Amino acid sequence: MYRQKICLLLLLMLLVSGCGGSEPVAEPTPTATRTPYVEPTATATATATLTPTPTATPEAVFTPPPPDVNPLTGLRMDDPSVLDRVPVAIKVSNSREARPQSGLASADWVFEHLSEGRVTRLTAIFYSESPEQVGSVRSGRLIDLEIPAMVGGIFAFSGASGGVKDRMRNSDLFPARVISPDFGVGQPYFYRVPRENIAFEHTLFTNPAVLRELATERGINERPDFPVYLAFSETPPAGGTPVDYIEINYLLNYNTAEWTYDPAIGRWRRAVVGTNHMDYLTGEQLTSANVVLVYANHIESDFWEEMIGDMSNWKLSIEIQVWGQGPALILRDGRAYPVHWRRAERDHMLTFWDDAGNPVPLKPGNTWFQLVPLGTESEEFAPGSYRFTP
């Protein structure tokens, strides 16, 4: 049996051996106050294996793609003009009651992350497509100070703790790139769609096209100037370890993300706790060309995210430190590749590298980023099937 539990570092080492080869613009989010990236605790050898030391920046990553290629997906656009607009990041609920959500199938990127209580939330990035409805829209978290900055985007959400809103006000996103009822933006940018037996908090929706109308009024609806770029290739990298199923137990039996590789379509199919994860608009199961586990330092902040009941139920907000570098696992084409992620500057997207400092390409298409803490435990419970437990 394959039930021996191993820590993240050991799993990645095994995979390697199998691979072979004050307000807005004036005061940007200060990097000086950020807690530095913390290396995973492990032996010196393991740490060295997981920390790339590239001697040069590969040209492929920093050379802009052709103007008709989406830098978030690597796909050529039939109408290149759709890229002459701002990417839209929208906060989406991942509560059981909110599924199936609307519009996720049209997102170029989706980030799933832990929030307080070990439930997860989603931040979806819409650039190449603009579905008619996205939601349900929920409250922002500290991670949402980082994700829109990666793509030069705007951020739409509803609700946030006082601490998150204070951080937002003092970030370089505010006010132009923040769109929320919390800051006076209501209809037509956000609207309610009541559904039978669905709680009120799960009935708020938005539309990327309408949000861009507001961005136009604010003078920021334009193609971002990306300082770094992902690598893409239809051809998978050499090596890799065969993987056909993974599950990530953020919260067992409630937020367990499951991905199964379907060779017939060359994509990963998503489920949650054994139930196919569907898009409400399309009626079809969500799929992704790439699934990337991004291991990042998770720390509790100095303010409460939720204050419910007595002190034992109060939850501190979680800061997920997606700056600096760390380990990652790319899943594409039915194989897993242990890599390193890097984000050296605030306006950089995450890029991925091998031990020699070469960029590791994603498959052209959409990507789901599964953010997990350092030290996430793993086990191979059947050949090619892995379970990850944060």
Side-chain angles (χ1 to χ4, degrees):
M1 292 297 292
Y2 291 79
R3 288 196 170 277
Q4 181 183 8
K5 275 205 170 186
I6 51 177
C7 69
L8 164 65
L9 298 178
L10 292 178
L11 173 64
L12 293 181
M13 291 173 67
L14 287 172
L15 289 175
V16 169
S17 66
C19 289
S22 61
E23 302 243 279
V25 180
E27 291 290 337
T29 299
T31 56
T33 59
R34 294 180 175 181
T35 303
Y37 169 75
V38 177
E39 290 285 355
T41 55
T43 64
T45 301
T47 301
T49 302
L50 288 172
T51 304
T53 53
T55 57
T57 298
E59 197 172 300
V61 176
F62 295 94
T63 300
D68 61 344
V69 172
N70 183 349
L72 306 188
T73 65
L75 295 175
R76 193 172 299 276
M77 308 300 298
D78 293 335
D79 179 6
S81 68
V82 302
L83 301 178
D84 295 328
R85 60 189 184 186
V86 68
V88 179
I90 302 175
K91 199 68 185 183
V92 178
S93 174
N94 196 33
S95 297
R96 179 185 297 147
E97 297 83 0
R99 302 187 205 117
Q101 299 95 330
S102 296
L104 292 179
S106 299
D108 294 329
W109 292 356
V110 179
F111 288 80
E112 182 170 11
H113 68 88
L114 281 168
S115 61
E116 61 287 343
R118 301 193 66 81
V119 298
T120 64
R121 288 275 169 96
L122 308 174
T123 303
I125 306 293
F126 299 90
Y127 189 29
S128 60
E129 298 186 42
S130 292
E132 63 188 32
Q133 181 174 287
V134 176
S136 64
V137 178
R138 292 303 304 272
S139 53
R141 295 295 186 270
L142 285 175
I143 186 65
D144 298 308
L145 276 74
E146 305 300 326
I147 296 173
M150 295 181 190
V151 295
I154 57 177
F155 176 50
F157 68 102
S158 178
S161 66
V164 170
K165 284 191 283 190
D166 284 345
R167 296 273 192 101
M168 194 75 69
R169 288 187 186 96
N170 288 291
S171 79
D172 52 2
L173 300 176
F174 191 83
R177 297 182 180 274
V178 175
I179 302 177
S180 173
D182 295 61
F183 297 106
V185 179
Q187 291 184 330
Y189 307 103
F190 299 91
Y191 54 90
R192 295 281 173 184
V193 182
R195 289 167 56 189
E196 188 175 0
N197 299 322
I198 300 297
F200 182 78
E201 62 265 28
H202 300 305
T203 63
L204 191 68
F205 293 84
T206 189
N207 179 321
V210 176
L211 295 173
R212 287 196 181 96
E213 291 178 7
L214 183 56
T216 298
E217 293 179 20
R218 295 178 175 182
I220 56 172
N221 188 19
E222 57 190 12
R223 183 189 294 239
D225 182 14
F226 295 100
V228 299
Y229 294 90
L230 286 164
F232 290 96
S233 175
E234 289 283 359
T235 303
T241 295
V243 175
D244 53 27
Y245 173 84
I246 68 163
E247 61 182 53
I248 307 167
N249 289 317
Y250 290 107
L251 181 59
L252 188 64
N253 298 324
Y254 188 86
N255 278 140
T256 297
E258 303 168 8
W259 293 96
T260 302
Y261 183 66
D262 185 345
I265 62 172
R267 296 173 63 83
W268 298 86
R269 293 187 177 273
R270 180 174 164 90
V272 181
V273 196
T275 300
N276 290 346
H277 195 172
M278 314 295 285
D279 188 292
Y280 184 81
L281 299 183
T282 67
E284 297 180 354
Q285 185 177 10
L286 295 171
T287 66
S288 189
N290 308 281
V291 179
V292 182
L293 276 72
V294 177
Y295 296 83
N297 198 31
H298 287 50
I299 66 169
E300 290 186 333
S301 69
D302 58 357
F303 62 87
W304 303 108
E305 189 63 49
E306 287 192 354
M307 301 171 67
I308 303 172
D310 59 35
M311 285 288 292
S312 64
N313 291 322
W314 290 14
K315 306 293 183 182
L316 290 170
S317 187
I318 299 172
E319 181 179 72
I320 304 173
Q321 298 177 340
V322 284
W323 53 83
Q325 60 183 341
L329 196 64
I330 292 176
L331 293 107
R332 55 163 294 176
D333 301 292
R335 304 188 77 82
Y337 300 88
V339 296
H340 319 275
W341 63 263
R342 293 180 61 198
R343 182 170 170 244
E345 301 292 341
R346 177 162 168 76
D347 58 352
H348 287 193
M349 64 178 74
L350 297 172
T351 55
F352 302 97
W353 309 75
D354 63 19
D355 285 339
N358 302 306
V360 179
L362 299 179
K363 183 173 184 172
N366 65 321
T367 299
W368 276 67
F369 296 96
Q370 304 284 165
L371 302 183
V372 297
L374 297 171
T376 292
E377 293 186 340
S378 315
E379 61 174 322
E380 185 181 19
F381 61 92
S385 296
Y386 288 85
R387 179 178 295 120
F388 298 84
T389 305

